[in-house]
Amino acid sequence: MREYRFKRGYKPIEDRLEELIKKHFGEFEKDGNVYVVRYGAMEELRLWIENKKLYVETKTNPNVSDDVAIRTIKVYNKFLEELTGYTAKERAKMMKKEVESE
């Protein structure tokens, strides 16, 4: 499970989450407060907002082509950047800091 913070000015609300899921991935299912997406190389992407943070669980399909995997990563990164305000590079840097501080 991954945990993402929101940059100042980016609201951690379900309406935005739902809107951006539709924009980037198309369809989704809702299981309580958890949004479930199936897209490209992701068999299942589970997203929810709790305590002003985004939580994500992913289950990937290892049997997809490289093209599908690359396209899936690009769409996922664009989605996260638009939702949280942090680029992939900034998110990686924050995760690295968290790991080092443990």
Side-chain angles (χ1 to χ4, degrees):
M1 178 177 56
R2 291 255 164 97
E3 180 182 304
Y4 298 100
R5 293 186 313 214
F6 288 81
K7 200 177 231 182
R8 185 177 300 167
Y10 288 79
K11 295 190 180 356
I13 56 175
E14 286 193 4
D15 289 345
R16 277 192 71 241
L17 176 58
E18 199 168 301
E19 178 186 318
L20 291 173
I21 288 172
K22 285 179 188 172
K23 178 181 175 182
H24 291 277
F25 303 114
E27 298 180 6
F28 66 89
E29 297 167 20
K30 197 162 180 196
D31 181 13
N33 70 331
V34 178
Y35 292 84
V36 181
V37 176
R38 288 171 181 80
Y39 179 85
M42 292 183 283
E43 282 182 12
E44 190 175 81
L45 173 66
R46 299 174 65 82
L47 308 139
W48 67 96
I49 295 175
E50 193 176 301
N51 301 323
K52 297 183 179 180
K53 290 184 181 176
L54 174 69
Y55 292 88
V56 179
E57 290 179 348
T58 56
K59 189 186 298 181
T60 57
N61 180 350
N63 302 320
V64 297
S65 70
D66 289 347
D67 291 344
V68 171
I70 290 167
R71 190 172 47 241
T72 302
I73 291 167
K74 283 182 180 180
V75 170
Y76 180 67
N77 281 332
K78 280 183 188 175
F79 163 76
L80 283 176
E81 182 174 349
E82 199 170 329
L83 182 65
T84 66
Y86 291 106
T87 65
K89 192 174 184 176
E90 290 170 321
R91 290 192 309 272
K93 195 174 181 179
M94 286 189 292
M95 281 188 194
K96 194 174 184 181
K97 250 185 205 176
E98 287 174 19
V99 169
E100 288 173 357
S101 67
E102 290 178 359

